[in-house]
Amino acid sequence: KVADSLMLLLVLALSCNPSTAATPSPSAPHVKPSYSFGRTFLGLDKCNACIGTSICKKFFKEEIRFDTWLSSHLKLPPSYLLSYSGNYTDDAKSWRLVDITRLTSKYQHDRADKHICTSLLKTKTCSLERALRRTHRFQKWLRAKRLTPDLVQGLSSPMLRCPSQRLLDRIVRRYAEVPDAGSIYMDHLTDRDKLRLLYTLSVNSHPILLQIFPDVEGWPFPRYLGSCGRLLVSASTRPLRDFYDAAPEVAADLALQLLAVLRSMGTNDLNYFFYFTHVDAGTFGVFSNGHLFIRDASTLGIIDKEEGSQLIDDQQEHKDIFSCLTVDCQSAFVSCNSIREKHSLVMVCQELLPKLLKGKFQQPVQEKIDSFLQHCADSLDDDQGVNEMVAKLAELLKPLRSCDSRFAYRYPDCKYSDKY
């Protein structure tokens, strides 16, 4: 009995001691953090009034990450931003920088969506796809076998102000959001594909330009990687504004590249003439290897020097809801016949080169550069004068650049070439 009593006391004592009575719980399994997009952030809830879905899997498989995801918070960036810096991988080991951008600001997107509903269905909210499908323009697209000038007439994109049939065929053949059919006919485009293409062309033609004039063929655009909802992904570049305080030899190199890009846009093997309707510090960008590209192609217009324009200049009567998604419907179109070949050069001389080259060099070189830029900026009505000023400026800048590893796009070739 004494032994039984002692055993009972021992059991009671152990049960009252939390340090010995508590059984350690098994460790919780490690849960991988989940990145929650929501269809709204990507714009998938607005499809098929969107760009496309070709790269959505990359987002959901976390093979595209926003820079903020590399922090411990793992939060998505604010949705009101126009662009984001991101990282892209094909093998989950090596990552490269990409730009993730919207066609326009979320505020402008929301305003355009509201305009569609109130204009077409007289309601504050609606199915954008159902509303746009009922329009006369889209019904014409559904019946069309080929993308013709009348189907894009009145759209606000500078690329489509003066379209040729050759340019429109190129759009259909190279539209990257559908399986490549290599055909100028739209048989391989579903109704959904046609709406996405029309919507993209109506809001911002930048992703279409990246697709139809790819960098691998030598065109000065960043590589188009795909779209998801209303976000597009392309190779990363730093805007030219980041180089306004660069060293003199870097500024000289970028200025020469800028002039070379503008020359190539005026004279190229395909006989297309590209011109800008507007330039600013974000229009051009620079890759990590020092190579300068057109970062924002949304203000680029195209004139086909081989076929010419197949639209009449007065497009006002052809305006509809697709003409007004990003601009005021009352905005007047620029006449195709009024565009001068030196228009882009003059704008660059006025807006960009002075900020890039100001106060960078010793006298009297700086004085000569400033004088050339002033003459170029004032020569809108003198095509020959602009050509001469640009040629003299290029000759003055060539010896001011250097040949070293900072310019990886041309190093070490420059060591062994008289060109540099």
Side-chain angles (χ1 to χ4, degrees), residues 132-141 143 320 322:
L132 293 175
R133 275 177 169 271
R134 293 170 57 176
T135 61
H136 176 66
R137 186 189 294 266
F138 187 65
Q139 289 301 312
K140 286 180 65 177
W141 273 62
R143 295 190 298 268
D320 60 5
F322 290 99

Side-chain angles (χ1 to χ4, degrees), residues 21-69:
T23 304
S25 60
S27 58
H30 176 69
V31 178
K32 186 179 179 182
S34 176
Y35 306 110
S36 175
F37 288 97
R39 293 168 59 82
T40 303
F41 182 86
L42 292 169
L44 280 171
D45 58 325
K46 303 299 175 67
C47 282
N48 291 303
C50 62
I51 318 174
T53 55
S54 61
I55 210 165
C56 286
K57 286 184 179 179
K58 285 279 186 183
F59 277 105
F60 292 118
K61 290 168 65 179
E62 299 169 23
E63 293 175 347
I64 296 176
R65 296 187 176 189
F66 294 87
D67 271 357
T68 51
W69 286 7

